[in-house]
Amino acid sequence: QKEVEQNSGPLSVPEGAIASLNCTYSDRVSQSFFWYRQYSGKSPELIMSIYSNGDKEDGRFTAQLNKASQYVSLLIRDSQPSDSATYLCAGSYNFNKFYFGSGTKLNVKP
Amino acid sequence: GAVVSQHPSRVICKSGTSVKIECRSLDFQATTMFWYRQFPKQSLMLMATSNEGSKATYEQGVEKDKFLINHASLTLSTLTVTSAHPEDSSFYICSARDGRADGYTFGSGTRLTVV
């Protein structure tokens, strides 16, 4: 099993809808989780981090972590065309190594 | 916030030559930096962990003699692609963690094309 797994998509949602991105992880990356956004040809930029079970909200973004089921998700409310990008889930144990999922491509249609 | 500068952003080189990529932490010290490679439409693959003052740790399958990493100071790590071949053409990205900030900060990446 890969350390972090994501559905590659593409995920298409209409503008204004909620986009839901999911990620599962292995025991090797069980401590810290991050969602990054990557536009084509650019390097990733951090959107959110989450360390504890439950939800964490930041503006239109909500990260959810369920350690029992080993999944982490990212919800984007009121999706905008500018949110169209590839979203990378990353996990780490003790910040020693940082593993990325393959990324989910999100298309927000106007 | 934490800033990581990567240079050059693009480089085209001839097959058989070597290319050096620099990664600098501008407003923080980084004892550890990470080098990733990303092929088109694929995810980031960790190549190696660069440790200040000691040898880099390479991921399985990454040739240490081909991808030379030097981390001589707390703000600079370099990746040298030696004897580059067309299959080395890729997007190379470094990252580092500022202990004051969350997560890792990435450099802007280097698009390497070997012709």
Side-chain angles (χ1 to χ4, degrees), chain A residues 16-36:
Chain A
I18 295 175
S20 177
L21 305 159
N22 300 304
C23 171
T24 58
Y25 61 88
S26 74
D27 291 337
R28 280 197 281 175
V29 292
S30 58
Q31 238 181 21
S32 315
F33 304 92
F34 305 86
W35 281 101
Y36 282 82

Side-chain angles (χ1 to χ4, degrees), chain B residues 4-106:
Chain B
V4 175
S5 172
Q6 190 172 339
H7 179 82
S9 57
R10 283 182 184 274
V11 59
I12 300 172
C13 71
K14 290 185 178 180
S15 188
T17 61
S18 295
V19 173
K20 180 184 282 189
I21 303 169
E22 292 187 349
C23 180
R24 293 180 185 272
S25 56
L26 295 188
D27 52 355
F28 66 100
Q29 295 181 332
T31 55
T32 303
M33 291 185 177
F34 301 88
W35 287 97
Y36 293 85
R37 179 169 54 184
Q38 187 176 37
F39 292 107
K41 297 184 180 181
Q42 295 188 25
S43 187
L44 294 158
M45 296 298 296
L46 178 64
M47 298 176 66
T49 303
S50 171
N51 304 298
E52 187 268 334
S54 64
K55 292 182 179 180
T57 305
Y58 290 82
E59 293 298 299
Q60 192 173 10
V62 178
E63 300 174 57
K64 61 179 69 175
D65 293 331
K66 181 169 182 62
F67 298 99
L68 300 179
I69 291 173
N70 185 279
H71 195 152
S73 78
L74 287 169
T75 59
L76 174 64
S77 175
T78 61
L79 168 68
T80 301
V81 182
T82 62
S83 186
H85 289 97
E87 57 264 30
D88 297 324
S89 299
S90 187
F91 191 46
Y92 292 86
I93 314 174
C94 68
S95 74
R97 180 171 181 256
D98 180 358
R100 303 166 298 174
D102 209 3
Y104 286 82
T105 301
F106 285 84

Side-chain angles (χ1 to χ4, degrees), chain A residues 2-8 22-25 29 34-36 38 86-91 98-104, chain B residues 36 38 42-45:
Chain A
K2 290 185 178 180
E3 289 80 8
V4 179
E5 297 203 56
Q6 289 181 260
N7 186 320
S8 61
N22 300 304
C23 171
T24 58
Y25 61 88
V29 292
F34 305 86
W35 281 101
Y36 282 82
Q38 187 178 25
T86 296
Y87 288 80
L88 300 168
C89 173
F98 211 58
Y99 293 96
F100 285 89
S102 56
T104 299
Chain B
Y36 293 85
Q38 187 176 37
Q42 295 188 25
S43 187
L44 294 158
M45 296 298 296

Side-chain angles (χ1 to χ4, degrees), chain A residues 20-71:
Chain A
S20 177
L21 305 159
N22 300 304
C23 171
T24 58
Y25 61 88
S26 74
D27 291 337
R28 280 197 281 175
V29 292
S30 58
Q31 238 181 21
S32 315
F33 304 92
F34 305 86
W35 281 101
Y36 282 82
R37 176 174 60 197
Q38 187 178 25
Y39 292 109
S40 181
K42 304 293 184 182
S43 64
E45 52 183 336
L46 180 67
I47 298 175
M48 290 191 70
S49 63
I50 187 166
Y51 303 96
S52 305
N53 268 331
D55 296 359
K56 179 181 177 183
E57 187 174 318
D58 184 1
R60 294 187 297 114
F61 300 97
T62 299
Q64 299 174 317
L65 174 60
N66 184 322
K67 290 195 174 184
S69 302
Q70 293 187 292
Y71 82 78

